[in-house]
Amino acid sequence: AAAWGCAGVWRRAWQRGAGGPGPALHGQRATACNARGGAVPAGKSGLAPWVPVVGLEIHAQISSNSKLFSGSQVQFAAPPNSLVSFFDASLPGTLPVLNRRCVEAAVMTGLALNCSINKKSLFDRKHYFYADLPAGYQITQQRVPIAVNGSLSYSLCIDNKMSQMVTKTVRIKQIQLEQDSGKSLHDDTRSQTLVDLNRAGVGLMEVVMEPDMCCGEEAAAAVRELQLILQTLGSSQAVMAEGQLRVDANVSVHHPGEPYGVRTEVKNINSIRFLAKAVDYEIQRQIEELENGGTILNETRAFDSKLGCTVPMRDKEGKQDYRFMPEPNLPPLILYDAKSLPANMNHQQVVNIDWIHERLPDLPSVKRAKLVERYGILPEHSFALLNEDGLTEFFENVVKQTQMKPKKVIGWILNVLLSYLKQHSLTVKESPVSSFLLADLLNLLERKEISSTAAKQVLAELWKGEGKTPLEIVKEKKLELIQDHKELEQICQAVIDGQENEVIMIVLG
Amino acid sequence: VSAALKEGHVTPTELCQRCLALIKSTKFLNAYITVAEETALKQAEESEKRYKRGQPLGVLDGIPVAVKDNFNTAGIETTCASNMLKGYISPYNATVVQKLLDQGAVLLGKTNLDEFAMGSGSTDGVFGPVRNPWSYSRQYKEKSVPKSHSEDKESNWVITGGSSGGSAAAVSSFTCFAALGSDTGGSTRNPAAHCGVVGLKPTYGLISRHGLIPLVNSMDVPGILTRCVDDAAVLLGSLAGHDPKDSTTIQDTFKPFKLPSLPDVSKLSIGIPKEYHAPGLSSEILALWSKAADLFKNAGAKVIEVSLPNTCYSIVCYHVLCTAEVASNMARFDGLEYGHRSDMNKSTESMYAATRREGFNDVVRGRILSGNYFLLKQNYENYFIKAQKVRRLIANDFLKVFRSGVDILLTPTTLSDAVPYMEFIKEDNRTRSEQDDILTQAANMAGLPAINVPTALSERGLPVGLQFIGRSFQEKQLLTVAKWFEKQVKFPMIQLEEVERHNHNVFQHQKSASFS
């Protein structure tokens, strides 16, 4: 049933893709589109409909001062190789020492995603040779990860209408702690590879989502919700552009009632928008391929954001055997809860799951519900508020400082402020109009001192950020509504007097 | 010696100079890879100043020590006797090295070993084999008359055992008072037995491995080589304890201890594991072993035969676990960050391959290959997991015996005395390691403390030692028993003619076995 839920979205994705690249796809497009167009069991060509299946593997860089197993700092865009400890460079004889903060971040994230937290989890070595993996292996949690069996609810709108939102759930298979790799830069002209180990050893949480999604829009919505949760928890800054959140999508298609098809893994997706595009493209591609009698290879593909398509990644070494092995230098990671916490244990040395649970902040879903309840705004408005960093606070500040009803304020926030910010690619924090000024302006409007048209004019002035108050602008531009009847009469009389001919014409009919 | 230093009979600088001179005159032993003459003298000078101020750092202050060349030492080359790390100077000190230096010990240099500690002869390093000082002792020369005169006298020298052969030879030839080895399958106890010194492998987790270039992380333990049991206890006291840099060290604080001067074993129960009566055990050692048992019996201890039924699987199991970890641990030597890098630059992969081919010897490469084979997805269950299960069984064997009331196990350390080098190299490294680790290696599987105590000279005039295996973290009891035994057997002092000839005076001073 889930597969049909996004049929509408699916059709749109189709149309969007029509102008895209991939000439080989053109011929089949109509058929595939019909097949997916609705709950019709067979398409024009007599084929059964396709059910796309999408699963995600998300690497979230843990927001922490130091790396997962070493004391070196974590910082984006620091000078190359300036944040590398002996351990990070894999000097012989160095040993990993687990960073408590990273464990807490993973526990927090696990709890927020309704996972059961494993009180005992293990670390493993995953071996492969690569220039930016100095030890020749990555320390990860292959056998027993720190958190398992969770779920994430996310909402998306149908047919791009804010008013039609549906909530879906994706199961979280597991969250595992692991090391990030360094970065290799290939200089083709000088045929050399430069390695920056600043990122090597930074803590990652790999969140594995079960294949419960069926289109790009769903995948994008799920990742967006995860991103909000991580940012709310502070467990990851989760900025995709800075690589703090990396999403790989596993995509396959099959006919209903049949086993899942061969899946491909799509990598190199660096924004949520591209995630939707990449997934939808890949679904299309697979359907086209299969309907043309082809087969899907179990391969890794990269999303090319410029061309808007996925291309096979060169897999130099063919099939990798990672030769997993328990990490012998780290004892099992033991977590405690209130019940199992030993009395004589130093609290600095243990991680208490219950303690972390009690201190979890309100998650986005709770925040939204509270906004809806407290201000009487529509649910979709609450989504819009949370979607922009700082917008909720802005909204609440305005509400506090104005007599205008929240229901009316939200319109100004979303339709006027937000669209202005978006037009100028500004964040809420960069807004030239503070919540105080906007509240001031809305108060003038609320007191009927100016019209809403005038208010928009004032706002246009305010954007300039010249430090004038709304009232000053109103006075300067004489935008106030005239409250004095005599003055109004005089103005009307003056207009009538000035247009004698027209008045006569009107009187004569 | 410590008392002599305190009382000013000898100064740290004099002591250091004498040791350095001895190292030079025994250079033919090939015990040292690097001699840190300059820094050693500087450290001795510092120590001397402290003594003059009357503020020595403790019993180790001014004591010359040597460290196996697989411990990182800042500023002094750390090679692991491998082309891969030739010329490599670590930017940091291993925790144990730092602890020695912090307590005023004078670091003379880095001792020879099998490449990356893989071997049981100290014959397979890139700097050549270590010669057993006993090869040049009066005792050996008198007893081992060459069968034919045509046989080259030179080829008669015997191996030290390994892989910490350099450290054992260094202690045995009086060039230092104590040395650090490492012990993964017997690498400290085996050469200790062959060189007639005390070799202690502490409980896994008692001493930090940070800075020890690993062989098998789950079995490696820094080992202690000294001339007597008391010295081993002093060293242990200065090295043991939790290290935040090694998560596998135990959290409990370790209290250094002094051994009783008149140890008592009458209340103890000594176990004689019958499985250690292994094929190939020399009749000499067997006789010595039962004599030792009688000694305990006569002293009032309970001596009982016990069984560790899974011992026979230990070597196979060790082979799988060891090579698997070796394959993993050696992955970092890719020529990128440090160490040898091949000139091959066709591609990163070809550079890796050439670097590793040039950097590692056959033994290391062989273990990497088999280790990777055992870790392959299709083999993991059949080999690695099984080996881990067997390891648990072996550990449980020990637990059961100790739970039944046995305090200490008494076993031989080696199957025979040291063999001549020419004899030794007739078999390959793997066969040798399997034979030579057979009596020592189960203690590593179980993480238990074990010690070699030199016991007697063989018919050929070479040292033979016996091994005591104790309960986890019961080093005090283990060393107490070892000390008692040491007192009973009165192992003879090595008579090194060549050393005496060259350094008559020095030798006299060095003779005092103990520094504590």
Side-chain angles (χ1 to χ4, degrees):
Chain A
W4 304 119
C6 67
V9 178
W10 185 236
R11 200 179 314 127
R12 255 191 13 264
W14 225 222
Q15 286 152 359
R16 252 203 326 247
L25 299 177
H26 277 290
Q28 286 292 312
R29 192 155 277 140
T31 315
C33 186
N34 284 340
R36 289 287 315 138
V40 186
K44 259 184 198 162
S45 59
L47 292 167
W50 292 101
V51 182
V53 173
V54 181
L56 300 174
E57 282 171 26
I58 299 154
H59 288 92
Q61 220 174 61
I62 297 170
S63 166
S64 143
N65 294 329
S66 57
K67 296 185 179 178
L68 182 55
F69 297 119
S70 79
S72 19
Q73 255 191 34
V74 177
Q75 196 189 311
F76 180 69
N81 294 312
S82 60
L83 310 172
V84 185
S85 71
F86 299 153
F87 175 79
D88 305 329
S90 81
L91 293 198
T94 51
L95 299 169
V97 178
L98 184 56
N99 178 346
R100 188 190 145 95
R101 154 71 195 162
C102 292
V103 175
E104 287 172 343
V107 170
M108 232 191 258
T109 308
L111 291 171
L113 296 178
N114 311 302
C115 291
S116 45
I117 306 295
N118 279 325
K119 296 218 181 94
K120 177 181 170 183
S121 61
L122 304 169
F123 290 96
D124 305 282
R125 291 179 179 183
K126 174 182 179 177
H127 298 88
Y128 60 96
F129 280 107
Y130 208 74
D132 54 26
L133 186 75
Y137 56 81
Q138 174 200 37
I139 304 179
T140 177
Q141 294 194 300
Q142 190 231 359
R143 291 166 298 163
V144 188
I146 190 162
V148 291
N149 299 333
S151 64
L152 167 69
S153 291
Y154 60 95
S155 299
L156 70 166
C157 36
I158 289 172
D159 285 338
N160 218 12
K161 281 183 205 137
M162 282 300 275
S163 52
Q164 288 186 49
M165 298 204 81
V166 288
T167 298
K168 302 201 167 196
T169 299
V170 54
R171 289 167 299 150
I172 307 287
K173 183 168 180 248
Q174 64 183 56
I175 300 174
Q176 65 201 47
L177 279 167
E178 61 185 34
Q179 295 173 299
D180 208 341
S181 64
K183 280 181 187 167
S184 304
L185 295 163
H186 304 286
D187 180 348
D188 285 333
T189 48
R190 270 185 268 180
S191 86
Q192 59 181 10
T193 300
L194 302 171
V195 180
D196 177 8
L197 294 181
N198 280 351
R199 205 182 66 178
V202 171
L204 293 178
M205 296 177 279
E206 180 176 339
V207 180
V208 183
M209 291 185 184
E210 299 278 12
D212 296 342
M213 293 153 285
C214 68
C215 63
E217 216 69 33
E218 284 190 9
V223 170
R224 178 62 185 140
E225 186 68 10
L226 175 68
Q227 190 179 36
L228 282 174
I229 290 174
L230 295 174
Q231 287 166 345
T232 305
L233 297 173
S235 61
S236 170
Q237 287 169 304
V239 179
M240 279 186 91
E242 292 183 9
Q244 290 147 349
L245 197 70
R246 279 164 262 158
V247 183
D248 300 335
N250 291 310
V251 178
S252 71
V253 299
H254 65 278
H255 291 303
E258 287 177 14
Y260 284 4
V262 175
R263 63 175 202 201
T264 59
E265 188 179 8
V266 184
K267 287 182 180 272
N268 204 24
I269 303 168
N270 47 27
S271 78
I272 289 182
R273 204 161 51 90
F274 287 153
L275 170 64
K277 274 193 175 178
V279 167
D280 285 343
Y281 177 89
E282 184 57 19
I283 293 170
Q284 278 175 49
R285 189 192 68 84
Q286 290 188 10
I287 294 172
E288 305 288 330
E289 186 70 41
L290 291 169
E291 295 207 334
N292 276 334
T295 50
I296 302 301
L297 297 174
N298 178 214
E299 62 180 352
T300 306
R301 300 176 69 88
F303 180 66
D304 185 322
S305 57
K306 280 188 198 124
L307 299 175
C309 66
T310 67
V311 288
M313 273 173 96
R314 276 180 301 137
D315 199 357
K316 277 167 272 171
E317 295 172 48
K319 265 216 155 183
Q320 284 262 20
D321 189 319
Y322 291 119
R323 290 160 287 131
F324 283 102
M325 182 189 99
E327 166 55 66
N329 293 321
L330 289 167
L333 169 56
I334 306 290
L335 304 174
Y336 297 91
D337 57 17
K339 260 188 248 160
S340 66
L341 192 71
N344 55 349
M345 204 68 136
N346 183 352
H347 285 266
Q348 294 285 297
Q349 277 172 358
V350 297
V351 173
N352 182 342
I353 302 167
D354 291 334
W355 195 89
I356 293 175
H357 206 167
E358 285 159 21
R359 281 157 186 80
L360 281 186
D362 276 350
L363 295 177
S365 55
V366 176
K367 278 191 192 170
R368 290 188 197 106
K370 282 189 179 170
L371 285 172
V372 170
E373 195 192 355
R374 190 175 301 154
Y375 303 110
I377 59 175
L378 294 169
E380 52 266 34
H381 291 156
S382 70
F383 273 90
L385 281 179
L386 257 75
N387 238 340
E388 275 329 295
D389 190 28
L391 194 60
T392 308
E393 292 72 23
F394 195 101
F395 165 72
E396 292 191 298
N397 283 335
V398 175
V399 168
K400 255 182 241 160
Q401 298 168 66
T402 171
Q403 294 90 38
M404 190 183 265
K405 284 204 173 120
K407 271 185 185 175
K408 274 170 85 184
V409 173
I410 193 75
W412 281 88
I413 295 280
L414 297 180
N415 302 332
V416 184
L417 176 85
L418 191 59
S419 59
Y420 176 87
L421 292 176
K422 288 230 162 124
Q423 252 172 41
H424 295 82
S425 325
L426 292 172
T427 63
V428 175
K429 270 186 197 140
E430 289 163 346
S431 168
V433 178
S434 66
S435 59
F436 176 77
L437 285 180
L438 185 62
D440 229 15
L441 175 66
L442 296 185
N443 278 337
L444 292 177
L445 184 64
E446 190 64 13
R447 289 199 298 269
K448 300 212 166 75
E449 287 176 27
I450 53 172
S451 69
S452 94
T453 322
K456 278 177 190 159
Q457 271 176 274
V458 175
L459 199 53
E461 281 299 306
L462 283 174
W463 289 135
K464 293 177 185 162
E466 286 164 346
K468 290 177 199 160
T469 65
L471 197 60
E472 280 166 3
I473 295 169
V474 167
K475 290 228 165 108
E476 209 172 276
K477 303 237 158 193
K478 299 197 167 42
L479 292 169
E480 59 268 75
L481 290 176
I482 297 155
Q483 314 270 347
D484 185 337
H485 272 270
K486 269 189 185 158
E487 200 184 333
L488 270 176
E489 267 173 39
Q490 276 172 15
I491 291 170
C492 292
Q493 196 56 56
V495 171
I496 292 167
D497 292 349
Q499 310 287 333
E500 217 168 317
N501 287 336
E502 280 80 357
V503 172
I504 291 167
M505 292 299 281
I506 290 167
V507 170
L508 292 175
Chain B
V1 174
S2 182
L5 283 170
K6 223 175 195 170
E7 284 153 29
H9 296 319
V10 62
T11 69
T13 314
E14 280 170 334
L15 202 58
C16 177
Q17 279 165 342
R18 285 174 195 178
C19 285
L20 289 168
L22 254 182
I23 291 174
K24 273 182 197 142
S25 64
T26 58
K27 204 166 186 284
F28 59 90
L29 295 176
N30 204 15
Y32 288 80
I33 291 174
T34 308
V35 181
E37 193 167 339
E38 232 173 88
T39 51
L41 284 170
K42 217 177 268 169
Q43 287 160 5
E45 232 171 82
E46 290 296 316
S47 167
E48 197 160 328
K49 280 184 206 157
R50 288 191 293 269
Y51 273 105
K52 276 189 183 146
R53 283 202 307 266
Q55 292 169 322
L57 292 170
V59 68
L60 281 182
D61 205 339
I63 301 289
V65 297
V67 171
K68 189 177 180 179
D69 207 17
N70 59 350
F71 287 94
N72 281 282
T73 44
I76 305 173
E77 242 182 89
T78 301
T79 70
C80 284
S82 174
N83 274 326
M84 190 57 93
L85 285 178
K86 229 184 199 173
Y88 173 71
I89 295 181
S90 168
Y92 74 99
N93 278 324
T95 298
V96 282
V97 171
Q98 193 60 51
K99 282 192 171 185
L100 287 177
L101 294 177
D102 288 347
Q103 290 170 77
V106 174
L107 177 56
L108 296 171
K110 306 293 289 292
T111 57
N112 206 345
L113 65 156
D114 289 298
E115 182 162 334
F116 282 102
M118 295 181 208
S120 61
S122 301
T123 51
D124 281 329
V126 75
F127 300 101
V130 186
R131 300 181 177 207
N132 193 325
W134 286 84
S135 316
Y136 306 95
S137 70
R138 197 173 293 144
Q139 292 103 320
Y140 178 62
K141 283 182 178 168
E142 279 167 5
K143 289 186 178 168
S144 68
V145 187
K147 283 161 205 134
S148 68
H149 287 284
S150 64
E151 211 172 310
D152 185 11
K153 206 180 152 197
E154 250 304 282
S155 67
N156 251 345
W157 62 269
V158 298
I159 58 147
T160 54
S163 63
S164 312
S167 289
V171 173
S172 157
S173 61
F174 304 107
T175 60
C176 64
F177 285 82
L180 293 185
S182 60
D183 196 312
T184 310
S187 278
T188 291
R189 289 158 289 156
N190 175 285
H194 286 325
C195 294
V197 298
V198 170
L200 170 66
K201 171 225 171 286
T203 311
Y204 184 86
L206 185 59
I207 299 191
S208 168
R209 291 181 295 116
H210 172 253
L212 165 63
I213 298 179
L215 176 58
V216 185
N217 303 282
S218 62
M219 296 184 214
D220 289 343
V221 181
I224 294 168
L225 293 127
T226 54
R227 292 180 205 160
C228 65
V229 176
D230 274 320
D231 284 1
V234 171
L235 256 279
L236 182 72
S238 65
L239 299 177
H242 178 67
D243 178 8
K245 289 175 183 157
D246 177 357
S247 312
T248 61
T249 51
I250 52 147
Q251 300 273 345
D252 312 358
T253 44
F254 176 81
K255 281 195 204 102
F257 51 80
K258 250 194 133 170
L259 299 174
S261 44
L262 291 170
D264 174 27
V265 296
S266 63
K267 290 181 194 72
L268 292 178
S269 166
I270 308 289
I272 310 288
K274 62 177 181 193
E275 287 78 8
Y276 281 67
H277 192 153
L281 185 68
S282 79
S283 53
E284 253 185 305
I285 293 185
L286 183 61
L288 214 56
W289 184 16
S290 58
K291 239 195 204 161
D294 290 341
L295 272 178
F296 280 98
K297 226 180 275 173
N298 296 338
K302 210 163 96 188
V303 177
I304 43 171
E305 188 185 82
V306 296
S307 174
L308 301 164
N310 293 297
T311 305
C312 55
Y313 307 114
S314 186
I315 285 291
V316 199
C317 167
Y318 176 78
H319 181 69
V320 174
L321 295 177
C322 169
T323 55
E325 281 202 35
V326 164
S328 176
N329 289 332
M330 295 294 144
R332 68 187 58 213
F333 298 101
D334 56 12
L336 285 184
E337 285 82 15
Y338 43 79
H340 176 69
R341 184 193 292 192
S342 170
D343 295 329
M344 169 69 73
N345 57 6
K346 245 175 42 209
S347 69
T348 309
E349 286 74 21
S350 62
M351 191 275 284
Y352 284 160
T355 296
R356 292 164 69 78
R357 187 174 58 242
E358 293 161 13
F360 295 137
N361 69 5
D362 289 350
V363 178
V364 179
R365 286 213 304 279
R367 290 203 194 181
I368 291 172
L369 275 176
S370 39
N372 277 322
Y373 175 80
F374 297 138
L375 288 177
L376 285 178
K377 212 173 175 185
Q378 77 255 29
N379 296 334
Y380 186 76
E381 282 283 328
N382 277 337
Y383 292 96
F384 193 83
I385 295 286
K386 259 193 195 152
Q388 277 195 318
K389 286 180 181 162
V390 174
R391 180 179 183 176
R392 176 58 55 93
L393 290 177
I394 291 167
N396 286 345
D397 278 355
F398 282 106
L399 273 181
K400 266 182 225 156
V401 166
F402 286 129
R403 232 178 263 147
S404 76
V406 169
D407 297 299
I408 299 277
L409 295 168
L410 169 64
T411 80
T413 311
T414 57
L415 293 174
S416 70
D417 57 3
V419 296
Y421 177 68
M422 298 314 274
E423 192 76 25
F424 186 81
I425 56 170
K426 282 181 189 158
E427 296 274 15
D428 65 23
N429 179 294
R430 205 176 105 197
T431 318
R432 279 295 177 197
S433 301
E434 283 178 8
Q435 285 170 356
D436 298 338
D437 287 347
I438 199 154
L439 302 171
T440 43
Q441 191 265 305
N444 297 83
M445 288 277 192
L448 300 171
I451 187 168
N452 171 74
V453 181
T455 307
L457 291 184
S458 68
E459 283 163 12
R460 295 192 297 151
L462 292 174
V464 172
L466 291 178
Q467 171 179 238
F468 295 94
I469 303 173
R471 292 192 173 113
S472 277
F473 302 107
Q474 299 301 313
E475 268 77 1
K476 188 171 180 184
Q477 188 182 47
L478 178 72
L479 289 172
T480 304
V481 171
K483 183 177 176 181
W484 178 86
F485 185 69
E486 181 185 48
K487 281 188 156 212
Q488 307 301 308
V489 295
K490 296 193 183 71
F491 181 74
M493 178 83 63
I494 185 172
Q495 293 166 10
L496 273 180
E497 290 179 341
E498 316 212 359
V499 174
E500 281 176 73
R501 207 182 315 130
H502 289 291
N503 301 281
H504 189 71
N505 292 330
V506 181
F507 182 62
Q508 288 306 316
H509 224 297
Q510 303 295 82
K511 256 184 171 173
S512 54
S514 165
F515 59 75
S516 48

